[in-house]
Amino acid sequence: GQQLNQSPQSMFIQEGEDVSMNCTSSSIFNTWLWYKQDPGEGPVLLIALYKAGELTSNGRLTAQFGITRKDSFLNISASIPSDVGIYFCAGLIQGAQKLVFGQGTRLTINP
Amino acid sequence: GAGVSQSPRYKVTKRGQDVALRCDPISGHVSLYWYRQALGQGPEFLTYFNYEAQQDKSGLPNDRFSAERPEGSISTLTIQRTEQRDSAMYRCASSFEVGGRGETQYFGPGTRLLVL
């Protein structure tokens, strides 16, 4: 099935470092979403983006909706231990109610 | 509880057996979605319902997979004659609105299915 290309697949960083991950697609999406998944839990929404070029922040998280509507990135500043988890991007197809997800970025933080 | 619940949380079955996975959406949520998540991958859409009506089942892999939501609340995903390749995490999500922009989908903890 259709999936978004998310990179990197995994990251190993030191506490306090900034993190950047991105998502690209060959298709245009009208909504980009970023989720975090903790072990044993379902994905939880972090940020939603609705307009090309939009830059949105949620605390230490910042995400942008690419101008071409085919990409998005997520930045996490000053990482802390609770940021550990798997981050997923997702796109919503116009006129449909289904989400298309990336493969995920697994974030590991060394204290 | 206030969230989406799924049962069982874990299911081990033998190849060829049928399994039924249950999703209990958040009370009052009108839309319900099923996704499948393989290890190391993101969730992949299977099917969804608005109220009791199945709107899109294009993601169901084959005719061994079916889903129902007869009263517009609880949903059951059934896999007949299970195969080893069906092993995955099956996730349910619900939304309080029809035709939302995706951000209103709340995910459950999933059912991990292992077919031996």
Side-chain angles (χ1 to χ4, degrees), chain A residues 50-90:
Chain A
Y50 305 112
K51 291 172 57 176
E54 179 181 358
L55 185 71
T56 298
S57 293
N58 178 7
R60 294 178 295 104
L61 277 60
T62 302
Q64 183 156 30
F65 191 145
I67 290 290
T68 64
R69 293 193 287 162
K70 293 182 178 182
D71 63 315
S72 177
F73 72 75
L74 174 71
N75 287 342
I76 306 173
S77 63
S79 58
I80 60 177
S82 62
D83 291 335
V84 165
I86 303 176
Y87 292 80
F88 291 103
C89 60

Short mmCIF file of all heavy atoms in Angstrom, two decimals, chain A residues 50-90:
data_model
loop_
_atom_site.label_atom_id
_atom_site.label_comp_id
_atom_site.label_asym_id
_atom_site.label_seq_id
_atom_site.Cartn_x
_atom_site.Cartn_y
_atom_site.Cartn_z
N TYR A 50 -2.22 22.11 8.07
CA TYR A 50 -3.31 22.15 7.11
C TYR A 50 -3.03 22.96 5.85
O TYR A 50 -3.78 22.86 4.88
CB TYR A 50 -4.57 22.72 7.77
CG TYR A 50 -4.97 21.99 9.02
CD1 TYR A 50 -4.90 22.61 10.26
CD2 TYR A 50 -5.41 20.68 8.97
CE1 TYR A 50 -5.26 21.93 11.42
CE2 TYR A 50 -5.79 20.00 10.12
CZ TYR A 50 -5.71 20.63 11.34
OH TYR A 50 -6.07 19.96 12.47
N LYS A 51 -2.00 23.79 5.88
CA LYS A 51 -1.74 24.66 4.73
C LYS A 51 -0.30 24.56 4.30
O LYS A 51 0.61 24.54 5.14
CB LYS A 51 -2.05 26.10 5.08
CG LYS A 51 -3.53 26.39 5.29
CD LYS A 51 -3.73 27.80 5.82
CE LYS A 51 -3.13 28.85 4.93
NZ LYS A 51 -3.41 30.22 5.42
N ALA A 52 -0.08 24.55 2.99
CA ALA A 52 1.28 24.53 2.46
C ALA A 52 2.07 25.71 3.01
O ALA A 52 1.58 26.84 3.02
CB ALA A 52 1.25 24.58 0.93
N GLY A 53 3.28 25.41 3.48
CA GLY A 53 4.12 26.45 4.05
C GLY A 53 3.88 26.70 5.52
O GLY A 53 4.68 27.39 6.17
N GLU A 54 2.84 26.14 6.08
CA GLU A 54 2.51 26.38 7.49
C GLU A 54 3.60 25.85 8.41
O GLU A 54 4.11 24.76 8.22
CB GLU A 54 1.18 25.69 7.80
CG GLU A 54 0.71 25.83 9.25
CD GLU A 54 -0.61 25.10 9.48
OE1 GLU A 54 -1.16 24.53 8.52
OE2 GLU A 54 -1.07 25.09 10.63
N LEU A 55 3.93 26.66 9.40
CA LEU A 55 4.90 26.28 10.44
C LEU A 55 4.16 26.34 11.76
O LEU A 55 3.62 27.38 12.12
CB LEU A 55 6.09 27.24 10.44
CG LEU A 55 7.25 26.93 11.38
CD1 LEU A 55 8.02 25.70 10.88
CD2 LEU A 55 8.19 28.13 11.48
N THR A 56 4.12 25.23 12.48
CA THR A 56 3.36 25.15 13.72
C THR A 56 4.21 24.60 14.84
O THR A 56 5.00 23.67 14.63
CB THR A 56 2.12 24.24 13.53
OG1 THR A 56 1.27 24.80 12.54
CG2 THR A 56 1.34 24.09 14.82
N SER A 57 4.06 25.17 16.03
CA SER A 57 4.82 24.71 17.19
C SER A 57 3.89 24.18 18.27
O SER A 57 2.76 24.64 18.41
CB SER A 57 5.67 25.84 17.75
OG SER A 57 6.68 26.20 16.85
N ASN A 58 4.41 23.24 19.02
CA ASN A 58 3.72 22.69 20.18
C ASN A 58 4.78 22.44 21.25
O ASN A 58 5.43 21.39 21.28
CB ASN A 58 3.01 21.39 19.81
CG ASN A 58 2.30 20.76 20.99
OD1 ASN A 58 2.23 21.34 22.08
ND2 ASN A 58 1.78 19.56 20.80
N GLY A 59 5.01 23.45 22.08
CA GLY A 59 6.09 23.35 23.07
C GLY A 59 7.44 23.29 22.37
O GLY A 59 7.79 24.18 21.59
N ARG A 60 8.20 22.23 22.65
CA ARG A 60 9.53 22.09 22.04
C ARG A 60 9.47 21.49 20.63
O ARG A 60 10.50 21.30 20.00
CB ARG A 60 10.40 21.21 22.94
CG ARG A 60 10.73 21.82 24.30
CD ARG A 60 11.56 20.89 25.18
NE ARG A 60 10.81 19.68 25.52
CZ ARG A 60 11.03 18.50 24.96
NH1 ARG A 60 11.97 18.33 24.04
NH2 ARG A 60 10.30 17.46 25.32
N LEU A 61 8.29 21.21 20.16
CA LEU A 61 8.13 20.61 18.84
C LEU A 61 7.73 21.67 17.83
O LEU A 61 6.90 22.54 18.11
CB LEU A 61 7.03 19.54 18.88
CG LEU A 61 7.39 18.14 19.35
CD1 LEU A 61 7.93 18.13 20.77
CD2 LEU A 61 6.19 17.22 19.25
N THR A 62 8.33 21.58 16.64
CA THR A 62 7.98 22.47 15.53
C THR A 62 7.86 21.61 14.29
O THR A 62 8.72 20.77 14.02
CB THR A 62 9.05 23.54 15.30
OG1 THR A 62 9.22 24.30 16.50
CG2 THR A 62 8.65 24.46 14.17
N ALA A 63 6.81 21.84 13.52
CA ALA A 63 6.62 21.08 12.29
C ALA A 63 6.25 22.03 11.17
O ALA A 63 5.66 23.09 11.39
CB ALA A 63 5.53 20.02 12.46
N GLN A 64 6.62 21.66 9.95
CA GLN A 64 6.29 22.47 8.80
C GLN A 64 5.69 21.62 7.69
O GLN A 64 6.09 20.49 7.46
CB GLN A 64 7.52 23.21 8.25
CG GLN A 64 7.17 24.13 7.07
CD GLN A 64 8.16 25.25 6.88
OE1 GLN A 64 9.34 25.10 7.18
NE2 GLN A 64 7.69 26.39 6.39
N PHE A 65 4.74 22.22 7.01
CA PHE A 65 4.06 21.63 5.86
C PHE A 65 4.78 22.17 4.63
O PHE A 65 4.82 23.38 4.40
CB PHE A 65 2.60 22.12 5.89
CG PHE A 65 1.66 21.44 4.94
CD1 PHE A 65 0.35 21.22 5.33
CD2 PHE A 65 2.04 21.05 3.67
CE1 PHE A 65 -0.56 20.63 4.47
CE2 PHE A 65 1.15 20.45 2.81
CZ PHE A 65 -0.16 20.24 3.21
N GLY A 66 5.39 21.31 3.83
CA GLY A 66 6.18 21.76 2.71
C GLY A 66 5.37 22.49 1.66
O GLY A 66 4.18 22.24 1.46
N ILE A 67 6.03 23.42 0.98
CA ILE A 67 5.38 24.25 -0.04
C ILE A 67 4.78 23.40 -1.16
O ILE A 67 3.70 23.71 -1.68
CB ILE A 67 6.40 25.24 -0.64
CG1 ILE A 67 6.77 26.28 0.41
CG2 ILE A 67 5.84 25.92 -1.88
CD1 ILE A 67 5.65 27.25 0.73
N THR A 68 5.45 22.33 -1.52
CA THR A 68 4.95 21.48 -2.60
C THR A 68 3.82 20.57 -2.16
O THR A 68 3.20 19.89 -2.98
CB THR A 68 6.09 20.59 -3.15
OG1 THR A 68 6.50 19.70 -2.11
CG2 THR A 68 7.26 21.43 -3.62
N ARG A 69 3.55 20.54 -0.86
CA ARG A 69 2.56 19.67 -0.22
C ARG A 69 2.93 18.20 -0.30
O ARG A 69 2.10 17.31 -0.08
CB ARG A 69 1.15 19.89 -0.81
CG ARG A 69 0.61 21.26 -0.50
CD ARG A 69 -0.87 21.37 -0.80
NE ARG A 69 -1.14 21.42 -2.24
CZ ARG A 69 -2.33 21.17 -2.77
NH1 ARG A 69 -3.33 20.81 -2.02
NH2 ARG A 69 -2.51 21.26 -4.06
N LYS A 70 4.22 17.95 -0.61
CA LYS A 70 4.67 16.57 -0.71
C LYS A 70 5.68 16.22 0.37
O LYS A 70 6.29 15.15 0.34
CB LYS A 70 5.30 16.31 -2.08
CG LYS A 70 4.32 16.37 -3.24
CD LYS A 70 5.03 16.05 -4.54
CE LYS A 70 4.06 16.06 -5.71
NZ LYS A 70 4.74 15.71 -6.98
N ASP A 71 5.87 17.13 1.34
CA ASP A 71 6.83 16.82 2.39
C ASP A 71 6.52 17.61 3.64
O ASP A 71 5.80 18.62 3.63
CB ASP A 71 8.25 17.09 1.91
CG ASP A 71 8.48 18.55 1.61
OD1 ASP A 71 7.62 19.17 0.94
OD2 ASP A 71 9.52 19.09 2.03
N SER A 72 7.10 17.13 4.74
CA SER A 72 6.93 17.79 6.03
C SER A 72 8.11 17.41 6.90
O SER A 72 8.74 16.36 6.70
CB SER A 72 5.63 17.33 6.70
OG SER A 72 5.48 17.91 7.98
N PHE A 73 8.45 18.29 7.84
CA PHE A 73 9.49 17.92 8.80
C PHE A 73 9.03 18.22 10.22
O PHE A 73 8.13 19.03 10.45
CB PHE A 73 10.82 18.64 8.50
CG PHE A 73 10.83 20.11 8.81
CD1 PHE A 73 10.90 20.58 10.13
CD2 PHE A 73 10.80 21.04 7.79
CE1 PHE A 73 10.92 21.93 10.40
CE2 PHE A 73 10.83 22.39 8.06
CZ PHE A 73 10.88 22.84 9.37
N LEU A 74 9.66 17.53 11.15
CA LEU A 74 9.40 17.73 12.57
C LEU A 74 10.73 17.96 13.27
O LEU A 74 11.67 17.20 13.07
CB LEU A 74 8.71 16.50 13.18
CG LEU A 74 8.50 16.53 14.70
CD1 LEU A 74 7.43 17.54 15.07
CD2 LEU A 74 8.11 15.15 15.23
N ASN A 75 10.81 19.01 14.06
CA ASN A 75 11.98 19.29 14.88
C ASN A 75 11.60 19.21 16.35
O ASN A 75 10.52 19.67 16.75
CB ASN A 75 12.53 20.69 14.59
CG ASN A 75 13.23 20.75 13.24
OD1 ASN A 75 13.59 19.75 12.67
ND2 ASN A 75 13.39 21.96 12.74
N ILE A 76 12.49 18.64 17.14
CA ILE A 76 12.35 18.62 18.59
C ILE A 76 13.57 19.32 19.16
O ILE A 76 14.71 18.93 18.87
CB ILE A 76 12.26 17.19 19.15
CG1 ILE A 76 11.15 16.40 18.46
CG2 ILE A 76 12.04 17.22 20.67
CD1 ILE A 76 11.12 14.92 18.84
N SER A 77 13.36 20.33 19.94
CA SER A 77 14.50 21.05 20.52
C SER A 77 14.75 20.58 21.95
O SER A 77 13.82 20.19 22.66
CB SER A 77 14.23 22.55 20.50
OG SER A 77 13.12 22.86 21.31
N ALA A 78 16.03 20.62 22.32
CA ALA A 78 16.46 20.32 23.68
C ALA A 78 15.80 19.03 24.20
O ALA A 78 15.03 19.04 25.16
CB ALA A 78 16.13 21.49 24.61
N SER A 79 16.12 17.93 23.56
CA SER A 79 15.46 16.66 23.86
C SER A 79 15.62 16.26 25.33
O SER A 79 16.63 16.54 25.98
CB SER A 79 16.02 15.57 22.95
OG SER A 79 17.42 15.44 23.13
N ILE A 80 14.59 15.60 25.82
CA ILE A 80 14.57 15.08 27.20
C ILE A 80 14.21 13.60 27.15
O ILE A 80 13.70 13.12 26.12
CB ILE A 80 13.55 15.86 28.06
CG1 ILE A 80 12.13 15.74 27.47
CG2 ILE A 80 13.96 17.33 28.18
CD1 ILE A 80 11.07 16.44 28.32
N PRO A 81 14.46 12.86 28.21
CA PRO A 81 14.24 11.41 28.18
C PRO A 81 12.85 10.98 27.76
O PRO A 81 12.69 9.96 27.07
CB PRO A 81 14.55 10.98 29.63
CG PRO A 81 15.57 11.97 30.08
CD PRO A 81 15.17 13.28 29.45
N SER A 82 11.84 11.73 28.11
CA SER A 82 10.47 11.33 27.76
C SER A 82 10.16 11.51 26.27
O SER A 82 9.09 11.10 25.80
CB SER A 82 9.46 12.10 28.59
OG SER A 82 9.55 13.48 28.32
N ASP A 83 11.09 12.06 25.51
CA ASP A 83 10.90 12.17 24.06
C ASP A 83 11.16 10.83 23.37
O ASP A 83 10.85 10.67 22.19
CB ASP A 83 11.84 13.22 23.46
CG ASP A 83 11.49 14.63 23.87
OD1 ASP A 83 10.30 14.88 24.19
OD2 ASP A 83 12.39 15.49 23.88
N VAL A 84 11.73 9.88 24.09
CA VAL A 84 12.00 8.57 23.51
C VAL A 84 10.70 7.94 23.00
O VAL A 84 9.67 8.00 23.66
CB VAL A 84 12.66 7.64 24.56
CG1 VAL A 84 12.62 6.19 24.12
CG2 VAL A 84 14.07 8.09 24.84
N GLY A 85 10.77 7.35 21.82
CA GLY A 85 9.61 6.69 21.25
C GLY A 85 9.73 6.62 19.74
O GLY A 85 10.79 6.86 19.18
N ILE A 86 8.63 6.28 19.10
CA ILE A 86 8.61 6.21 17.65
C ILE A 86 7.72 7.34 17.14
O ILE A 86 6.58 7.50 17.59
CB ILE A 86 8.07 4.86 17.14
CG1 ILE A 86 8.91 3.71 17.72
CG2 ILE A 86 8.11 4.82 15.62
CD1 ILE A 86 8.38 2.34 17.35
N TYR A 87 8.22 8.10 16.22
CA TYR A 87 7.50 9.23 15.65
C TYR A 87 7.05 8.86 14.23
O TYR A 87 7.83 8.36 13.42
CB TYR A 87 8.39 10.47 15.61
CG TYR A 87 8.69 10.99 17.00
CD1 TYR A 87 9.67 10.40 17.79
CD2 TYR A 87 7.97 12.06 17.53
CE1 TYR A 87 9.92 10.84 19.07
CE2 TYR A 87 8.23 12.52 18.81
CZ TYR A 87 9.20 11.90 19.58
OH TYR A 87 9.44 12.35 20.85
N PHE A 88 5.79 9.12 13.96
CA PHE A 88 5.22 8.84 12.65
C PHE A 88 4.68 10.11 12.01
O PHE A 88 4.03 10.92 12.68
CB PHE A 88 4.05 7.85 12.75
CG PHE A 88 4.43 6.45 13.13
CD1 PHE A 88 4.23 6.00 14.42
CD2 PHE A 88 4.97 5.60 12.19
CE1 PHE A 88 4.57 4.71 14.78
CE2 PHE A 88 5.33 4.29 12.54
CZ PHE A 88 5.12 3.85 13.84
N CYS A 89 4.93 10.26 10.72
CA CYS A 89 4.22 11.27 9.95
C CYS A 89 3.04 10.58 9.29
O CYS A 89 3.04 9.36 9.10
CB CYS A 89 5.12 11.90 8.90
SG CYS A 89 5.76 10.74 7.69
N ALA A 90 2.03 11.34 8.96
CA ALA A 90 0.85 10.80 8.27
C ALA A 90 0.26 11.90 7.40
O ALA A 90 0.28 13.07 7.76
CB ALA A 90 -0.18 10.28 9.27
#
